Amino acid sequence: MVRSNYAATDKPNLIGMDRAELSAAFEQAGIPQKQLRMRVSQIWQWIYVRGLIDFSQMSNISKDLRAILAEHFTVSRPEIVEEQVSTDGTRKWLFRFPPRGAGKPVEVETVYIPEENRGTLCISSQVGCTLNCTFCHTGTQKLVRNLTAEEILMQLIVARDRLGDFAAVNAPAQKNSDNDGATRKVTNIVMMGMGEPLYNFENVKKALLIAIDGDGLALSRRRVTLSTSGVVPEIVRTGEEIGVMLAISLHATRDELRNELVPINKKYPLSELMDACRNYKGLSNARRITFEYVMLKGINDSLNDAKQLVSLLKGIPAKINLIPFNPWPGSGYECSDWEQIEKFSDFINQCGYASPIRTPRGRDILAACGQLKSESERLRIKERRALEKQGSSESENELQR
Ligand code: SAH
Ligand code: SF4
């Protein structure tokens, strides 16, 4: 368990502002207009390349100006309620963000998955979800609210803090490392945490454009993937305005079944979804769309389904990502048998598609797909009740922080 050493303040946070917003904010704080461009670019470097959380260390900025910045703004991080590390190296953070407007504080989960030659951060875009995909635990939670661009980006920034990515940039030996990601822990990000990113388009767009900005966090556009249940108009905008890789939560190849599993299909049926995919900007064999397909026993896992999947994707540069279903209490579904998943995968492979089976990671810390937040919330409630029974007021306070 990690207690945040970062103080919460009411000052606006510079993290999450784009260049135009930073410029306007600096002007309001009294920074002369002719300096704005230079100041924005200096601060951008300090906060996104060096990861500084303290204005006083910004050595190419005069003392007076540093004082003005500290008086008006902050770059502080959110509270980390919990940090867990799985036996397989997967990490999960539970962040608490302050209320926006009249609401309550919200808690959000972010997962880091280290692999041999990359490290992927799975980021949330909303607290809860308005959609009700029947196999997804997040879908049983009401939407609490959209995350702001600051909150979306903070998930990446704090992961970098905790994994030492900023420290690596700051180490003398790696100074001027050309931001190629070679020494970084977080090389990839996927918008596959809680929520439907395309129902929070503007904030997701702003955060991702900052994440891929070459003078700052500098993630490669091709290492950023946005996953959607199929919000067709915003798929088009994602290609045109953000230009990141796309993943589609397909899960079924017939409208009748997809209407049930992924109810947004009633609004944007498969024919429209496939058209949007076919026309996705920048699509090529080197930049394929990933189709996610959750393996549900007896529902969508027959060889006939595999056949239909291949014919549906004809003509679209695609990869297929088979996800073993992660069960949750009351879901009413079971994960397909391993043998069946392999048969399904082999068939698709023979038809020329890469079809990796996504190995569940971090199951012991409830970090696998579809297990986020709602599960840990449930556990914490359970723990809390157990403690209440014991009458342990000390521990109770600990849990209710
Ligand atoms: N809302 C977006 C992104 C978040 S979900 C979307 O639907 O694409 C990320 C992926 O996890 C989606 O493909 C989703 O369908 C899948 N998923 C949800 N619940 C799951 C579960 N219980 N087991 C396995 N995969 C699940
Ligand atoms: Fe929402 Fe995605 Fe879960 Fe569907 S699968 S309920 S869109 S988070």
Side-chain angles (χ1 to χ4, degrees), residues 126 128-133 135-140 193-196 228-229 249 251 262:
Q126 300 182 308
C129 189
T130 44
L131 300 171
N132 305 94
C133 304
F135 54 87
C136 173
H137 204 172
T138 310
T140 63
M194 298 168 66
E196 170 49 59
T228 178
S229 57
S249 293
H251 310 316
V262 187

Side-chain angles (χ1 to χ4, degrees), residues 135-136 192-193 195-196 227-228 249 251 292 294 323 325-326 369-370:
F135 54 87
C136 173
M192 291 186 189
E196 170 49 59
S227 172
T228 178
S249 293
H251 310 316
E292 296 161 278
V294 66
I323 316 177
F325 170 63
N326 288 307
C369 299

